[in-house]
mmCIF file of all heavy atoms in Angstrom:
data_model
loop_
_atom_site.group_PDB
_atom_site.id
_atom_site.type_symbol
_atom_site.label_atom_id
_atom_site.label_comp_id
_atom_site.label_asym_id
_atom_site.label_seq_id
_atom_site.Cartn_x
_atom_site.Cartn_y
_atom_site.Cartn_z
ATOM 1 N N LYS S 375 -9.965 26.252 230.782
ATOM 2 C CA LYS S 375 -8.950 26.016 229.760
ATOM 3 C C LYS S 375 -8.238 27.302 229.360
ATOM 4 O O LYS S 375 -7.149 27.260 228.780
ATOM 5 C CB LYS S 375 -9.587 25.369 228.532
ATOM 6 C CG LYS S 375 -10.184 23.998 228.797
ATOM 7 C CD LYS S 375 -10.835 23.415 227.557
ATOM 8 C CE LYS S 375 -11.453 22.045 227.838
ATOM 9 N NZ LYS S 375 -12.095 21.450 226.650
ATOM 10 N N ARG S 376 -8.842 28.436 229.669
ATOM 11 C CA ARG S 376 -8.248 29.720 229.301
ATOM 12 C C ARG S 376 -7.271 30.233 230.355
ATOM 13 O O ARG S 376 -6.575 31.226 230.126
ATOM 14 C CB ARG S 376 -9.344 30.760 229.076
ATOM 15 C CG ARG S 376 -10.189 30.506 227.828
ATOM 16 C CD ARG S 376 -11.352 31.478 227.728
ATOM 17 N NE ARG S 376 -10.944 32.852 227.922
ATOM 18 C CZ ARG S 376 -11.778 33.858 228.181
ATOM 19 N NH1 ARG S 376 -13.071 33.620 228.284
ATOM 20 N NH2 ARG S 376 -11.332 35.076 228.346
ATOM 21 N N LEU S 377 -7.213 29.577 231.497
ATOM 22 C CA LEU S 377 -6.322 30.031 232.574
ATOM 23 C C LEU S 377 -4.873 29.678 232.265
ATOM 24 O O LEU S 377 -4.579 28.592 231.761
ATOM 25 C CB LEU S 377 -6.724 29.377 233.899
ATOM 26 C CG LEU S 377 -8.105 29.730 234.462
ATOM 27 C CD1 LEU S 377 -8.430 28.823 235.640
ATOM 28 C CD2 LEU S 377 -8.157 31.196 234.879
ATOM 29 N N SER S 378 -3.974 30.594 232.598
ATOM 30 C CA SER S 378 -2.548 30.285 232.491
ATOM 31 C C SER S 378 -2.198 29.219 233.525
ATOM 32 O O SER S 378 -2.975 28.937 234.444
ATOM 33 C CB SER S 378 -1.713 31.541 232.749
ATOM 34 O OG SER S 378 -1.851 31.947 234.112
ATOM 35 N N GLN S 379 -1.034 28.632 233.384
ATOM 36 C CA GLN S 379 -0.613 27.584 234.326
ATOM 37 C C GLN S 379 -0.563 28.126 235.755
ATOM 38 O O GLN S 379 -0.986 27.458 236.700
ATOM 39 C CB GLN S 379 0.765 27.051 233.930
ATOM 40 C CG GLN S 379 1.235 25.871 234.767
ATOM 41 C CD GLN S 379 2.556 25.288 234.272
ATOM 42 O OE1 GLN S 379 3.068 25.678 233.225
ATOM 43 N NE2 GLN S 379 3.101 24.356 235.023
ATOM 44 N N GLN S 380 -0.072 29.361 235.900
ATOM 45 C CA GLN S 380 0.026 29.966 237.226
ATOM 46 C C GLN S 380 -1.358 30.245 237.815
ATOM 47 O O GLN S 380 -1.609 29.999 238.997
ATOM 48 C CB GLN S 380 0.843 31.276 237.165
ATOM 49 C CG GLN S 380 2.306 31.094 236.782
ATOM 50 C CD GLN S 380 2.525 30.982 235.274
ATOM 51 O OE1 GLN S 380 1.564 30.944 234.485
ATOM 52 N NE2 GLN S 380 3.782 30.909 234.871
ATOM 53 N N ALA S 381 -2.259 30.741 236.971
ATOM 54 C CA ALA S 381 -3.612 31.039 237.438
ATOM 55 C C ALA S 381 -4.355 29.758 237.793
ATOM 56 O O ALA S 381 -5.079 29.697 238.796
ATOM 57 C CB ALA S 381 -4.372 31.821 236.378
ATOM 58 N N ARG S 382 -4.175 28.730 236.978
ATOM 59 C CA ARG S 382 -4.851 27.456 237.256
ATOM 60 C C ARG S 382 -4.395 26.883 238.603
ATOM 61 O O ARG S 382 -5.191 26.243 239.324
ATOM 62 C CB ARG S 382 -4.554 26.460 236.119
ATOM 63 C CG ARG S 382 -5.149 25.060 236.338
ATOM 64 C CD ARG S 382 -6.641 25.107 236.415
ATOM 65 N NE ARG S 382 -7.221 23.810 236.767
ATOM 66 C CZ ARG S 382 -7.308 23.323 237.997
ATOM 67 N NH1 ARG S 382 -6.871 24.052 239.036
ATOM 68 N NH2 ARG S 382 -7.848 22.151 238.235
ATOM 69 N N ALA S 383 -3.150 27.133 238.947
ATOM 70 C CA ALA S 383 -2.612 26.603 240.208
ATOM 71 C C ALA S 383 -3.268 27.233 241.433
ATOM 72 O O ALA S 383 -3.390 26.584 242.477
ATOM 73 C CB ALA S 383 -1.100 26.805 240.251
ATOM 74 N N ILE S 384 -3.704 28.504 241.309
ATOM 75 C CA ILE S 384 -4.304 29.171 242.474
ATOM 76 C C ILE S 384 -5.825 29.243 242.388
ATOM 77 O O ILE S 384 -6.483 29.614 243.360
ATOM 78 C CB ILE S 384 -3.733 30.599 242.666
ATOM 79 C CG1 ILE S 384 -4.069 31.495 241.464
ATOM 80 C CG2 ILE S 384 -2.233 30.559 242.914
ATOM 81 C CD1 ILE S 384 -3.740 32.946 241.709
ATOM 82 N N ALA S 385 -6.392 28.856 241.253
ATOM 83 C CA ALA S 385 -7.851 28.916 241.082
ATOM 84 C C ALA S 385 -8.622 28.124 242.146
ATOM 85 O O ALA S 385 -9.722 28.526 242.537
ATOM 86 C CB ALA S 385 -8.235 28.430 239.683
ATOM 87 N N PRO S 386 -8.075 27.013 242.668
ATOM 88 C CA PRO S 386 -8.794 26.274 243.715
ATOM 89 C C PRO S 386 -9.030 27.074 244.994
ATOM 90 O O PRO S 386 -9.802 26.634 245.854
ATOM 91 C CB PRO S 386 -7.888 25.063 243.978
ATOM 92 C CG PRO S 386 -7.138 24.874 242.703
ATOM 93 C CD PRO S 386 -6.892 26.261 242.190
ATOM 94 N N LYS S 387 -8.386 28.227 245.120
ATOM 95 C CA LYS S 387 -8.619 29.082 246.291
ATOM 96 C C LYS S 387 -10.106 29.464 246.400
ATOM 97 O O LYS S 387 -10.598 29.710 247.501
ATOM 98 C CB LYS S 387 -7.764 30.355 246.202
ATOM 99 C CG LYS S 387 -6.302 30.162 246.552
ATOM 100 C CD LYS S 387 -6.132 29.990 248.052
ATOM 101 C CE LYS S 387 -4.669 29.901 248.454
ATOM 102 N NZ LYS S 387 -4.526 29.660 249.909
ATOM 103 N N ILE S 388 -10.783 29.516 245.272
ATOM 104 C CA ILE S 388 -12.209 29.884 245.292
ATOM 105 C C ILE S 388 -12.977 28.893 246.161
ATOM 106 O O ILE S 388 -13.665 29.277 247.116
ATOM 107 C CB ILE S 388 -12.791 29.911 243.862
ATOM 108 C CG1 ILE S 388 -12.035 30.907 242.981
ATOM 109 C CG2 ILE S 388 -14.284 30.247 243.903
ATOM 110 C CD1 ILE S 388 -12.350 30.772 241.500
ATOM 111 N N HIS S 389 -12.831 27.626 245.838
ATOM 112 C CA HIS S 389 -13.544 26.587 246.594
ATOM 113 C C HIS S 389 -12.995 26.471 248.015
ATOM 114 O O HIS S 389 -13.753 26.239 248.969
ATOM 115 C CB HIS S 389 -13.404 25.248 245.870
ATOM 116 C CG HIS S 389 -14.106 24.115 246.553
ATOM 117 N ND1 HIS S 389 -15.451 24.151 246.851
ATOM 118 C CD2 HIS S 389 -13.644 22.915 247.014
ATOM 119 C CE1 HIS S 389 -15.791 23.007 247.451
ATOM 120 N NE2 HIS S 389 -14.725 22.255 247.571
ATOM 121 N N GLU S 390 -11.701 26.668 248.158
ATOM 122 C CA GLU S 390 -11.069 26.573 249.482
ATOM 123 C C GLU S 390 -11.640 27.616 250.442
ATOM 124 O O GLU S 390 -11.982 27.315 251.593
ATOM 125 C CB GLU S 390 -9.559 26.763 249.341
ATOM 126 C CG GLU S 390 -8.788 26.675 250.647
ATOM 127 C CD GLU S 390 -7.308 26.939 250.449
ATOM 128 O OE1 GLU S 390 -6.750 26.439 249.449
ATOM 129 O OE2 GLU S 390 -6.708 27.648 251.281
ATOM 130 N N ILE S 391 -11.778 28.845 249.972
ATOM 131 C CA ILE S 391 -12.311 29.916 250.822
ATOM 132 C C ILE S 391 -13.788 29.661 251.141
ATOM 133 O O ILE S 391 -14.226 29.837 252.285
ATOM 134 C CB ILE S 391 -12.114 31.289 250.138
ATOM 135 C CG1 ILE S 391 -10.620 31.639 250.114
ATOM 136 C CG2 ILE S 391 -12.911 32.384 250.863
ATOM 137 C CD1 ILE S 391 -10.273 32.858 249.274
ATOM 138 N N LEU S 392 -14.551 29.237 250.139
ATOM 139 C CA LEU S 392 -15.957 28.932 250.390
ATOM 140 C C LEU S 392 -16.103 27.793 251.400
ATOM 141 O O LEU S 392 -16.975 27.823 252.271
ATOM 142 C CB LEU S 392 -16.663 28.572 249.081
ATOM 143 C CG LEU S 392 -16.835 29.695 248.058
ATOM 144 C CD1 LEU S 392 -17.497 29.156 246.792
ATOM 145 C CD2 LEU S 392 -17.635 30.854 248.631
ATOM 146 N N THR S 393 -15.247 26.801 251.286
ATOM 147 C CA THR S 393 -15.299 25.668 252.213
ATOM 148 C C THR S 393 -14.972 26.110 253.638
ATOM 149 O O THR S 393 -15.623 25.689 254.605
ATOM 150 C CB THR S 393 -14.326 24.565 251.766
ATOM 151 O OG1 THR S 393 -14.695 24.116 250.455
ATOM 152 C CG2 THR S 393 -14.364 23.380 252.727
ATOM 153 N N LYS S 394 -13.967 26.964 253.770
ATOM 154 C CA LYS S 394 -13.613 27.480 255.098
ATOM 155 C C LYS S 394 -14.770 28.260 255.707
ATOM 156 O O LYS S 394 -15.041 28.159 256.907
ATOM 157 C CB LYS S 394 -12.373 28.375 255.003
ATOM 158 C CG LYS S 394 -11.060 27.623 254.822
ATOM 159 C CD LYS S 394 -9.891 28.588 254.782
ATOM 160 C CE LYS S 394 -8.565 27.842 254.640
ATOM 161 N NZ LYS S 394 -7.422 28.797 254.550
ATOM 162 N N SER S 395 -15.462 29.028 254.879
ATOM 163 C CA SER S 395 -16.606 29.792 255.390
ATOM 164 C C SER S 395 -17.732 28.845 255.812
ATOM 165 O O SER S 395 -18.411 29.075 256.817
ATOM 166 C CB SER S 395 -17.106 30.792 254.344
ATOM 167 O OG SER S 395 -17.709 30.138 253.247
ATOM 168 N N TYR S 396 -17.901 27.771 255.061
ATOM 169 C CA TYR S 396 -18.935 26.783 255.412
ATOM 170 C C TYR S 396 -18.614 26.115 256.751
ATOM 171 O O TYR S 396 -19.512 25.873 257.570
ATOM 172 C CB TYR S 396 -19.040 25.724 254.315
ATOM 173 C CG TYR S 396 -19.937 24.566 254.691
ATOM 174 C CD1 TYR S 396 -21.321 24.677 254.602
ATOM 175 C CD2 TYR S 396 -19.400 23.366 255.154
ATOM 176 C CE1 TYR S 396 -22.152 23.626 254.966
ATOM 177 C CE2 TYR S 396 -20.219 22.311 255.527
ATOM 178 C CZ TYR S 396 -21.590 22.450 255.422
ATOM 179 O OH TYR S 396 -22.408 21.406 255.797
ATOM 180 N N GLN S 397 -17.353 25.818 256.960
ATOM 181 C CA GLN S 397 -16.949 25.151 258.197
ATOM 182 C C GLN S 397 -17.188 26.011 259.432
ATOM 183 O O GLN S 397 -17.241 25.488 260.545
ATOM 184 C CB GLN S 397 -15.468 24.752 258.105
ATOM 185 C CG GLN S 397 -15.210 23.656 257.073
ATOM 186 C CD GLN S 397 -13.740 23.468 256.748
ATOM 187 O OE1 GLN S 397 -12.901 24.329 257.059
ATOM 188 N NE2 GLN S 397 -13.410 22.355 256.113
ATOM 189 N N GLN S 398 -17.359 27.310 259.224
ATOM 190 C CA GLN S 398 -17.604 28.226 260.347
ATOM 191 C C GLN S 398 -19.055 28.675 260.447
ATOM 192 O O GLN S 398 -19.390 29.539 261.257
ATOM 193 C CB GLN S 398 -16.707 29.460 260.192
ATOM 194 C CG GLN S 398 -15.208 29.144 260.156
ATOM 195 C CD GLN S 398 -14.377 30.392 259.949
ATOM 196 O OE1 GLN S 398 -14.237 31.218 260.844
ATOM 197 N NE2 GLN S 398 -13.839 30.550 258.752
ATOM 198 N N LYS S 399 -19.924 28.067 259.640
ATOM 199 C CA LYS S 399 -21.307 28.555 259.558
ATOM 200 C C LYS S 399 -22.062 28.468 260.886
ATOM 201 O O LYS S 399 -23.002 29.227 261.117
ATOM 202 C CB LYS S 399 -22.074 27.797 258.484
ATOM 203 C CG LYS S 399 -22.369 26.347 258.796
ATOM 204 C CD LYS S 399 -23.119 25.691 257.646
ATOM 205 C CE LYS S 399 -23.401 24.218 257.927
ATOM 206 N NZ LYS S 399 -24.356 24.033 259.026
ATOM 207 N N ASP S 400 -21.660 27.542 261.756
ATOM 208 C CA ASP S 400 -22.352 27.402 263.039
ATOM 209 C C ASP S 400 -21.881 28.419 264.076
ATOM 210 O O ASP S 400 -22.468 28.524 265.157
ATOM 211 C CB ASP S 400 -22.163 25.990 263.592
ATOM 212 C CG ASP S 400 -22.849 24.932 262.736
ATOM 213 O OD1 ASP S 400 -23.866 25.272 262.101
ATOM 214 O OD2 ASP S 400 -22.360 23.786 262.682
ATOM 215 N N PHE S 401 -20.826 29.141 263.725
ATOM 216 C CA PHE S 401 -20.256 30.106 264.672
ATOM 217 C C PHE S 401 -20.365 31.544 264.179
ATOM 218 O O PHE S 401 -20.195 32.484 264.949
ATOM 219 C CB PHE S 401 -18.777 29.776 264.928
ATOM 220 C CG PHE S 401 -18.536 28.333 265.253
ATOM 221 C CD1 PHE S 401 -18.011 27.471 264.309
ATOM 222 C CD2 PHE S 401 -18.852 27.823 266.511
ATOM 223 C CE1 PHE S 401 -17.788 26.133 264.606
ATOM 224 C CE2 PHE S 401 -18.646 26.487 266.809
ATOM 225 C CZ PHE S 401 -18.107 25.636 265.855
ATOM 226 N N LEU S 402 -20.643 31.705 262.874
ATOM 227 C CA LEU S 402 -20.706 33.043 262.285
ATOM 228 C C LEU S 402 -22.115 33.368 261.815
ATOM 229 O O LEU S 402 -22.848 32.484 261.362
ATOM 230 C CB LEU S 402 -19.750 33.146 261.085
ATOM 231 C CG LEU S 402 -18.261 32.900 261.338
ATOM 232 C CD1 LEU S 402 -17.498 33.029 260.017
ATOM 233 C CD2 LEU S 402 -17.706 33.860 262.373
ATOM 234 N N SER S 403 -22.484 34.637 261.891
ATOM 235 C CA SER S 403 -23.742 35.083 261.291
ATOM 236 C C SER S 403 -23.538 35.150 259.779
ATOM 237 O O SER S 403 -22.408 35.071 259.272
ATOM 238 C CB SER S 403 -24.105 36.469 261.827
ATOM 239 O OG SER S 403 -23.154 37.433 261.379
#
């Protein structure tokens, strides 16, 4: 609730990056 509108719009990048790393877990150490 403390995030500005602009920050809230990009905050999902956190989960997006973690998800991308998970999708590569079988290929990366």
Side-chain angles (χ1 to χ4, degrees):
K375 297 178 181 180
R376 291 174 49 196
L377 296 171
S378 67
Q379 185 175 353
Q380 295 82 355
R382 177 62 186 81
I384 63 170
K387 283 286 184 183
I388 301 168
H389 180 56
E390 180 183 319
I391 291 171
L392 292 177
T393 300
K394 285 182 178 178
S395 69
Y396 172 80
Q397 292 167 344
Q398 301 178 73
K399 70 181 179 67
D400 294 331
F401 311 103
L402 300 179
S403 66

